[in-house]
Amino acid sequence: MAATLRIQSDWSRALRDEGEAWLSCRSPGKATLYGSVTRRGLSSDGVPDIVASEGFVVGEVTKKSILISCPHENVSTKFLAPYTSFCRIHQKSITCLDISSGGGLGVSTSTDGTMKIWQAANGEIRRLLEGHVYDVNCCRFFPSGLVVLSGGMDAQLKIWSAEDASCVVTFKGHKGGILDTAMVDRGRNVLSCSRDGTARLWDCGQSSCLGTVADCGSPVNGIAVGTADSSLNLGSPESPPSEREVGTEGKMLLLAREDKKLQGVGLQSRQPVFLFMGSDAFNCCTFLSSTYILAGTQDGNIYQLDVRNTNAPIQVIHRSGAPVLSLLPYRDGFIASQGDGTCFIVQQDLDYVLDLTEADCDPVYKVASWEKEIYTCCRDGTVRRYQLSDL
């Protein structure tokens, strides 16, 4: 993997106050190059005039971003500081978040035992969603933006009204904590995965389980559903699917498993499509397209695979040995977050990586996007919002 550039996590404050922030460039098998950026003054429009120490070059600078290159390693990174940070939504570590389809609302879960709905613009709390026993692990909006799906350590999956905070449906059937959820199309059917090793399909209208899509015998840490390439054989169901099953045809379910396996299963057929062995436990997975998928492991690898041939990965991205905690498709690339506080964006047409800074060694558990705004949640109890004005 190419060299990795790093900057002091609070670089924008440090440059403003102390006038200096540290830099490093780490390349596999070589000594790390250390340096710094220093502020010489302000230009007339308030943008700092910044220079880098030997071995580093400063490119474009704005109030919230700085482009740094290390020509010797042929690597460039644009570091982005948050546009705003919300520290008052939760008291403790924030484990999951999502933003509604209209961009107006956020929902998040925390180890303080709460799940809250808040205004995305200012972090003002609107609703408290109460009803799970123990911690809530995951939360997401339905495509309508008016309803929330959550899964908890109590092995329950719940559907909530974002308008009045009432719990309208509770699904029971898992034997262990629910670790992730997914939506089929508009959400008449939803999916969940659990520590009990299963992924289940549920019918929201009748609040019933439509079946176990996979039983892995090992905890399933993350799932994703997507339309599979038409050349892929997804198998046929052993018995005709229930008429309550909506939109499962032609779709594949990805399972990120604790036993170092990434599995693809035909959603309607429940038949295995592929099984890929990784370097460590898989934490998360996502579809980039009908042919390309991504999955992240506990030891910091991001595998890109072609579903038509999963024998060998197209590429393995490794920026640090910290666990890959979330992966999100974004434009013509993806956003990844890791257990060491890094969160970065890779885009096909950009020759630099975008690094979302400020979390200092605290895991960034989840990333959500709405248009050009990126939201992250972190162990330090902060939701950060970044503006990608230049993409």
Side-chain angles (χ1 to χ4, degrees):
M1 181 63 196
T4 307
L5 281 171
R6 294 272 162 107
I7 199 167
Q8 186 172 324
S9 62
D10 61 347
W11 62 271
S12 80
R13 182 206 58 79
L15 282 173
R16 190 177 66 239
D17 299 350
E18 289 102 44
E20 189 175 43
W22 62 259
L23 289 173
S24 72
C25 180
R26 207 184 72 231
S27 194
K30 297 184 190 171
T32 301
L33 177 66
Y34 293 99
S36 61
V37 277
T38 310
R39 193 187 71 174
R40 287 192 299 200
L42 285 177
S43 66
S44 56
D45 53 359
V47 173
D49 172 23
I50 292 165
V51 288
S53 58
E54 194 180 343
F56 297 94
V57 177
V58 177
E60 189 196 6
V61 178
T62 70
K63 286 178 182 173
K64 294 285 185 188
S65 74
I66 183 168
L67 181 63
I68 306 280
S69 306
C70 180
H72 187 65
E73 293 295 338
N74 192 26
V75 60
S76 299
T77 299
K78 179 176 275 195
F79 297 99
L80 255 77
Y83 183 74
T84 36
S85 297
F86 305 134
C87 312
R88 294 194 181 90
I89 298 173
H90 292 285
Q91 305 305 303
K92 289 185 182 171
S93 171
I94 305 173
T95 48
C96 191
L97 93 167
D98 193 23
I99 301 296
S100 66
S101 52
L105 294 176
V107 63
S108 54
T109 58
S110 167
T111 55
D112 64 13
T114 66
M115 175 166 46
K116 294 175 180 176
I117 291 176
W118 35 274
Q119 277 177 252
N122 57 14
E124 194 178 299
I125 294 161
R126 299 296 300 272
R127 297 282 180 266
L128 190 60
L129 306 180
E130 294 177 302
H132 277 286
V133 190
Y134 314 123
D135 280 356
V136 190
N137 290 331
C138 46
C139 57
R140 69 167 69 232
F141 281 99
F142 277 75
S144 68
L146 304 171
V147 188
V148 169
L149 178 68
S150 67
M153 286 309 287
D154 56 7
Q156 297 186 72
L157 191 66
K158 287 179 177 284
I159 296 177
W160 311 78
S161 160
E163 294 170 301
D164 65 5
S166 60
C167 176
V168 286
V169 174
T170 298
F171 297 114
K172 293 180 181 178
H174 278 295
K175 307 274 190 296
I178 292 170
L179 300 177
D180 198 12
T181 62
M183 299 268 164
V184 184
D185 296 341
R186 298 211 319 277
R188 283 172 63 182
N189 290 174
V190 297
L191 291 144
S192 59
C193 66
S194 162
R195 292 196 168 184
D196 65 13
T198 67
R200 292 170 183 258
L201 181 70
W202 308 86
D203 170 26
C204 296
Q206 291 187 342
S207 54
S208 61
C209 183
L210 291 169
T212 299
V213 182
D215 191 345
C216 304
S218 160
V220 182
N221 295 320
I223 50 172
V225 67
T227 302
D229 186 78
S230 54
S231 66
L232 208 61
N233 178 13
L234 295 178
S236 307
E238 286 172 8
S239 53
S242 151
E243 70 273 5
R244 302 290 308 175
E245 209 173 289
V246 187
T248 56
E249 196 179 348
K251 294 203 175 62
M252 182 163 68
L253 181 68
L254 299 180
L255 303 119
R257 297 169 32 165
E258 183 68 24
D259 60 1
K260 306 186 183 182
K261 296 183 178 115
L262 177 73
Q263 186 176 6
V265 176
L267 183 52
Q268 191 178 72
S269 69
R270 325 280 203 254
Q271 306 289 329
V273 178
F274 74 84
L275 195 61
F276 176 80
M277 273 299 290
S279 54
D280 203 346
F282 279 98
N283 291 330
C284 50
C285 52
T286 192
F287 282 84
L288 289 179
S289 67
S290 60
T291 42
Y292 298 124
I293 57 174
L294 284 181
T297 60
Q298 187 66 14
D299 59 356
N301 284 326
I302 298 173
Y303 291 91
Q304 185 180 355
L305 300 171
D306 184 326
V307 294
R308 297 163 301 186
N309 177 11
T310 57
N311 294 333
I314 297 169
Q315 64 167 338
V316 182
I317 296 167
H318 185 93
R319 290 191 27 114
S320 82
V324 180
L325 300 175
S326 85
L327 289 167
L328 178 72
Y330 188 73
R331 306 210 168 196
D332 58 357
F334 65 90
I335 310 177
S337 73
Q338 291 186 263
D340 57 0
T342 57
C343 184
F344 61 94
I345 305 178
V346 174
Q347 294 288 298
Q348 278 174 3
D349 57 347
L350 286 186
D351 53 3
Y352 55 83
V353 171
L354 273 159
D355 212 312
L356 307 182
T357 60
E358 207 180 79
D360 185 13
C361 303
D362 274 307
V364 175
Y365 290 115
K366 194 81 177 176
V367 184
S369 68
W370 183 75
E371 294 188 351
K372 291 187 177 182
E373 294 173 1
I374 311 290
Y375 294 78
T376 64
C377 68
C378 180
R379 188 174 68 187
D380 64 10
T382 302
V383 169
R384 294 180 173 88
R385 184 172 108 208
Y386 300 84
Q387 299 280 129
L388 298 185
S389 51
D390 48 351
L391 264 193

